[in-house]
Amino acid sequence: MTPLNNHCTRKLLATALLAALSGSALADGILENRHVETRIYGFLNGEIESVKAVGGATPYASRGRISDGNSRIGFAGSIGLRGDVSGIWQIEGSLNNFDEGGVNGQGKSATIESRNTFVGIDSKRFGRFIVGNNDSVYRSLVGSGGALGGNLGLTVQGVDVWNNTSAQLSGNADSLFGRGEARYKNSAHYLSPEWRGFQAGASYGFDEQRSTGDDRARYSLAAKYSIGAFSIGAGYDRQQNTGVDVENLSKGFGMRNTSVSGVNTSFYKLLATYKFPTKTSLGVGFESGSYGYAVQSLPTPGNIYTSLTTGSMKQRSVMASLSQEVGYDVTVMLAAGKLGKLDNTTFAKPDDFGATQVSLGATYKIDEQFMPYVYFTRINNKAQQNVNLGQSPLHSNNSGKDDAFLAPGNSPRAFGFGFIARF
């Protein structure tokens, strides 16, 4: 008997899954005149590495470990409705920290719906509208981890060529770049059709609980344009009633956002990529963050009244990447970035919140399903900054607890090699 190839195997598995989910609907022929597709996808990404973080009050001593590179599994499909309109759905679960039984350094475990999970409608004429738990367009349309969008590092080359590894520079609140990129819970998203290389989108995350008494809704807007090998994109993200935790900032715990009434935190960024005929890829990015804050002043002998002062701290970051394909198999990749000073800080000096990062390495593509790689990354944090590794971050304080963090001034480094297997 001829063995089934990978595509056929996934198609059979997807068909079996659809049959199980649809039950009697398929048996009764309700869907027989509709075009129905289902697929299974994902990857496992594991790394063997040596890590450390020194320079702060509580250093993280050098040690070896196995790390996960944002592994995942997903089920997605579409159901033809009328004309070019289709119903679409996706369930994507995290396989993160598979090396530790699914529990991360803060003692948290993921669920099957922990990643992009949604249901909606898609049309070539009118675009896509979905609701659920999904990346904002600030990340999905013009994110630094993919080809100007998404979280697809080591699959396609975006601005951050090392996305989904310990060497990535972007995509998290504790990263050097892409600090406004996020996945919105309880959210709705719209993507326009692509028209002559142009596409735009919008996302809105509802704050249903109002646990702090304020509406902490979040929204983003983004647009990109591609022509040939060149792409450029811009995005804006805004978080209502959100600002700097000035109390913890003054205690030396680093920059953290929390609920702050009457102020907002916002980001905007510009990205561009270009692939030369020499198989050389270049990516550049700029991001600016504005962090609201509120400071309550205490009564003094000359003034018996308290007062509330509000304002915003501003910080900018830049990054660039360069990759060169060497034949079919090998790609050498370099990425570097800088996080600037924190203007208008209420604690310490603006320059104390800066950081730089450099990542260098290479991938070896055996085929479309399996690829080994090797990397080195070095972060240099100033006295009050705690930029961390993008995946499997280091926690020098309160490890295993919800409030685990890297001490400000600690500078993480990682050297290792990994394997990514796609399915």
Side-chain angles (χ1 to χ4, degrees), residues 12 23 35 40 50 79 84 98 103 107 129 160-161 215 222 235 237 244 250-251 261 264 285 308 312 366 368 408 414:
L12 285 173
H35 182 66
I40 302 172
S50 173
I79 303 174
D84 76 335
F98 71 88
V103 179
F129 179 75
D160 190 351
V161 291
D215 182 3
D237 179 271
V244 179
S250 64
K251 294 178 180 178
S261 298
N264 303 289
L308 185 69
S312 63
I366 295 177
E368 294 297 330

Side-chain angles (χ1 to χ4, degrees), residues 1 3 106 117 176 204 226 239 241 280 304 333 338-339 414:
M1 180 179 291
Q106 294 178 309
T117 299
L176 182 138
Y204 190 88
S226 298
Q239 305 167 62
N241 294 302
T280 305
I304 62 173
M333 304 191 299
K338 180 178 181 179
L339 181 64

Side-chain angles (χ1 to χ4, degrees), residues 145-159:
L148 284 197
N151 190 326
L152 305 171
L154 295 185
T155 301
V156 297
Q157 291 178 357
V159 174

